[in-house]
Amino acid sequence: MSDAPSRPSSFAEPGFALPGLGLGVATAATQIEGGNADTNWHRWAAKPGRIADGSTPARAADHWERVGQDIALLGELGVKHYRMGLEWARLEPRPGEFDTAAVAHYRDELTRLRQAGIRPLVTLHHFNNPWWFERVGGWESPSALPTFARYVTRVLEELGDLVDDWVTINEPNVYATKGWLDGQWPPGVTNSFGRTLTVMQVMATAHVQTYQAIHAAFPQAQVGVANHLRVFAPQKRWNPVHQLSATSGRYLFQAALTRAFSQGRFLAPFVQPKGVEPGRYYDFQGINYYTRSSVKGLADGVASHVPVNDLGWEIYPQGLVEVARWTHQHYPGPIWITENGTADAADRFRSRFLYDHLRAIAGSGLPIERFYHWCFTDNFEWAEGEEPRFGLVALDYLTQQRTVRDSGRFYADVIAHGGVTAQAHARWVAGQAYPR
Ligand code: IFM
C-alpha cells in the first residue's frame, strides 16, 4: 500500500508538503460500535447521572452493523490508515470462552479494510473491560496479567495474520487517573493515588508482555502504546509552587510511565516488576496529543485568554511538537501520532486545528511517520456522552446518517495531495479562527 499522493501538487505558501507521512483516522470499539457488549462502560453508563447527556455506548455510531458503509466512506475520503479497537467483551464474553461470531466479524472487517487498500492499526485495550474482568478487580486484580495475556494470545491466533500494526494499550495514564483519582470513570474510585499507580504499573507490565507475545508470533509486527501526552505549564511562570506542580505532574502523569512501558525500567514511584527485564519495548512511539495543562496544584487547569475547543481544552498546536521532541530525545525511533483532533460541533475551526497541527509536524524535523485524526465519525465520548463532536464525519445519532463535514473534505484533500495546497488553505482554512 503506497502513501504516494494521487495527483501532483503545488505547495506554495501557505501550503506545505507532508512527504512520507501516512495520514489516517482513529476510532475505538466502545466509542463507535454500539450494541450491548457487557463492558465496564455499558454498566457504568446505565446508572443515571454518570454520563453528561444520559447517553450510553449502546447506540454510538452503530458501526458494528454498518462496517461496510463505514469502510466505503473511508475509501471515499481516500484514507489509507485506520486505527480501530477490538471489544474484548465481544471476543471473550465469558472467561476463557471466545465467541466465534465476533472473531468472524473482526476477520471480515480487517479483510475488507485490506482489500480496500486501508492498513489497519489495531488497539487491544482502549478503556474497555469485559464486566466479568472488572467485577473481580479488573487491572487491580492479581489475575489481571494472565487474563489479559490469554486474551492477547487468542487474538493473535485468530486475527494476527490480518494485522501488522498494533497498539497494545490506549492512554494508561488517562484510564488510571480518571478511574481512581477523579472517579469520573469506572470503577469510580476517588483520590487513591496508590491505586492509580498500581493500575499504571500493571498496564505498563501488560504492555511489555504483550509486546513480547506479538513479536514472538509475528516478528515483523510494529507495536507500541497510544500514549496520552500533554504539555504541563506552570500557571504563573515564575511561581516556584506552580513550577513544582508542572514538573511533578509531568513526571507522575507521563514521564515515569513512558519509561516503564518503553524500556521496562520502573523508576519510583513504580516498583520493578518481577520478570520484567530492561529492554526496548516499542517499534514506534504512539502519541495522543490534544492540549496543554496550566497547573498550580494537582488539578488540571486551562490558562486564561487562550483559544479553546468546545470542551474548554486549550488549542496549542506547537505542543504536539514539544511532546514529540521530548519523546524522541528519550526514546528515539519512529513516532506515530495515534490521535489528534478536537471537539468542534459547528465545524468552525477543525480545519484550522488540523492545518496548524500538521504544519507543526511538517516543520519539526522529527521522524513522525503517521498521523491519525481523532475521530473518523462522531463518537461516544465517555463521561461527556454524545455531545462533543470530534468527527470528520458528522453523525445524526437518531437516524445514524453520516455526513462528511467540511473539515473531512479538507482532510481528504490533504490525503489526496500529500500535503496542504495553497488552494485548500484558501478554501477550508483561511476563513476559520479559534474561539476564546
Ligand atoms: O475520545 C478519546 C479517546 O478515547 C482517547 N483519547 C482522547 C479522545 C478525546 O477525548
Side-chain angles (χ1 to χ4, degrees):
M1 280 174 255
S2 157
D3 288 331
S6 51
R7 294 177 237 146
S9 319
S10 140
F11 298 114
E13 271 293 326
F16 54 87
L18 291 163
L21 183 66
L23 293 159
V25 295
T27 59
T30 313
Q31 292 182 272
I32 63 161
E33 281 183 356
N36 281 313
D38 196 8
T39 73
N40 53 338
W41 271 97
H42 289 76
R43 297 259 181 165
W44 176 259
K47 246 196 161 174
R50 286 175 171 168
I51 309 297
D53 57 8
S55 59
T56 78
R59 178 161 69 174
D62 194 30
H63 173 73
W64 188 257
E65 301 296 337
R66 291 164 197 264
V67 167
Q69 183 187 352
D70 286 342
I71 294 175
L73 197 46
L74 288 169
E76 205 184 286
L77 296 179
V79 168
K80 292 282 180 279
H81 294 275
Y82 180 59
R83 179 175 167 218
M84 58 177 273
L86 302 177
E87 190 60 86
W88 180 5
R90 284 189 194 274
L91 285 164
E92 191 181 357
R94 281 164 297 282
E97 266 181 49
F98 288 78
D99 184 77
T100 46
V103 168
H105 179 101
Y106 284 123
R107 282 199 70 80
D108 176 58
E109 179 166 4
L110 290 162
T111 305
R112 290 205 223 182
L113 284 165
R114 291 166 68 97
Q115 283 167 351
I118 300 167
R119 188 177 170 116
L121 165 61
V122 173
T123 309
L124 288 158
H125 187 273
H126 192 128
F127 306 155
N128 49 344
N129 301 322
W131 178 247
W132 57 259
F133 176 77
E134 184 92 349
R135 196 161 50 90
V136 297
W139 290 92
E140 292 182 283
S141 153
S143 59
L145 288 169
T147 305
F148 189 67
R150 178 180 65 199
Y151 157 67
V152 170
T153 303
R154 190 65 182 259
V155 168
L156 292 173
E157 284 164 10
E158 302 285 5
L159 307 177
D161 58 317
L162 298 172
V163 183
D164 300 310
D165 305 336
W166 297 93
V167 163
T168 55
I169 299 185
N170 182 75
E171 299 184 348
N173 52 357
V174 173
Y175 175 77
T177 50
K178 287 281 191 188
W180 283 263
L181 220 48
D182 304 351
Q184 290 161 355
W185 289 13
V189 177
T190 46
N191 299 323
S192 182
F193 194 59
R195 290 170 73 183
T196 303
L197 289 173
T198 300
V199 171
M200 286 186 182
Q201 154 128 2
V202 174
M203 288 188 134
T205 310
H207 163 74
V208 170
Q209 294 181 349
T210 306
Y211 180 92
Q212 291 170 320
I214 296 175
H215 276 289
F218 299 97
Q220 305 307 325
Q222 306 193 79
V223 186
V225 167
N227 190 18
H228 183 104
L229 293 178
R230 56 179 61 196
V231 175
F232 282 85
Q235 207 172 88
K236 291 201 175 107
R237 213 160 150 205
W238 305 115
N239 181 314
V241 176
H242 296 192
Q243 285 170 354
L244 182 66
S245 307
T247 313
S248 43
R250 206 176 291 128
Y251 182 74
L252 293 171
F253 184 69
Q254 53 202 32
L257 182 65
T258 308
R259 173 68 62 96
F261 70 68
S262 301
Q263 297 184 331
R265 298 170 77 91
F266 289 69
L267 306 182
F270 297 125
V271 180
Q272 190 68 30
K274 280 203 187 75
V276 174
E277 298 293 332
R280 175 176 162 134
Y281 299 110
Y282 63 94
D283 303 306
F284 60 87
Q285 283 287 334
I287 297 178
N288 292 1
Y289 173 76
Y290 288 89
T291 191
R292 168 165 72 170
S293 290
S294 166
V295 292
K296 61 173 181 177
L298 275 183
D300 207 11
V302 179
S304 333
H305 313 299
V306 293
V308 289
N309 74 6
D310 290 357
L311 287 167
W313 302 355
E314 180 180 356
I315 298 171
Y316 181 59
Q318 196 49 35
L320 175 54
V321 168
E322 290 175 26
V323 296
R325 203 173 296 292
W326 174 84
T327 303
H328 191 58
Q329 269 162 9
H330 294 85
Y331 309 100
I335 296 173
W336 296 5
I337 306 303
T338 35
E339 286 181 26
N340 175 243
T342 196
D344 173 17
D347 205 39
R348 63 197 163 122
F349 56 87
R350 184 179 285 102
S351 297
R352 174 160 292 284
F353 181 99
L354 253 165
Y355 172 86
D356 286 341
H357 286 77
L358 291 173
R359 177 140 211 160
I361 290 174
S364 71
L366 291 165
I368 300 179
E369 293 183 345
R370 303 242 184 114
F371 176 91
Y372 294 84
H373 180 271
W374 181 271
C375 187
F376 169 39
T377 61
D378 290 333
N379 56 276
F380 174 76
E381 183 55 29
W382 311 116
E384 309 297 337
E386 294 173 349
E387 193 93 353
R389 302 292 182 140
F390 279 89
L392 294 170
V393 175
L395 189 63
D396 180 328
Y397 281 100
L398 286 177
T399 62
Q400 287 296 334
Q401 190 174 329
R402 280 106 164 106
T403 308
V404 179
R405 293 194 162 105
D406 276 355
S407 51
R409 300 271 168 232
F410 169 57
Y411 194 53
D413 194 88
V414 176
I415 295 173
H417 290 89
V420 180
T421 63
Q423 291 85 338
H425 179 272
R427 178 164 177 196
W428 285 292
V429 181
Q432 296 203 331
Y434 295 131
R436 283 179 182 268

